[in-house]
Amino acid sequence: SKMTAMTVHKDIPMIAAGSHAQFIKIMTLDGDSTQVIRHADMNQGRRIGPVSCLTFHPCYPLLAAGGRDNFVHLFRPKIPVNLDN
């Protein structure tokens, strides 16, 4: 599905890409998918809305996602295992 937002962490080799199809894909810098986020765990399992913006915290592995559902969701993505690259 069409990508609507993307961000790259400046220190951790991680990319996040959001979609209007209500999911966020976390990937390595090589493009390998490590996680797909579809639900906001802290919001009673509510499905995230169509993603329109993403940004990582500058120092920590935290991701903020905003969308057409008028919520900002915070996620702690799984860090890719191989950080030796």
Side-chain angles (χ1 to χ4, degrees), residues 30-59:
D30 294 328
D32 297 326
S33 181
T34 61
Q35 182 179 10
V36 176
I37 300 168
R38 296 182 185 278
H39 298 87
D41 293 334
M42 298 303 290
N43 195 5
Q44 300 173 349
R46 185 178 185 280
R47 189 168 177 90
I48 62 174
V51 179
S52 60
C53 56
L54 294 168
T55 190
F56 280 112
H57 186 280
C59 302

Side-chain angles (χ1 to χ4, degrees), residues 3-82:
M3 179 175 49
T4 54
M6 187 183 94
T7 188
V8 179
H9 198 286
K10 71 178 190 80
D11 293 327
I12 301 168
M14 241 188 321
I15 299 169
S19 169
H20 70 283
Q22 299 175 266
F23 69 87
I24 300 165
K25 186 181 283 190
I26 308 298
M27 298 170 281
T28 65
L29 295 181
D30 294 328
D32 297 326
S33 181
T34 61
Q35 182 179 10
V36 176
I37 300 168
R38 296 182 185 278
H39 298 87
D41 293 334
M42 298 303 290
N43 195 5
Q44 300 173 349
R46 185 178 185 280
R47 189 168 177 90
I48 62 174
V51 179
S52 60
C53 56
L54 294 168
T55 190
F56 280 112
H57 186 280
C59 302
Y60 302 107
L62 297 173
L63 176 67
R68 293 192 347 230
D69 62 355
N70 296 321
F71 287 96
V72 174
H73 299 282
L74 298 176
F75 300 99
R76 184 179 299 269
K78 297 173 187 168
I79 299 173
V81 176
N82 185 3

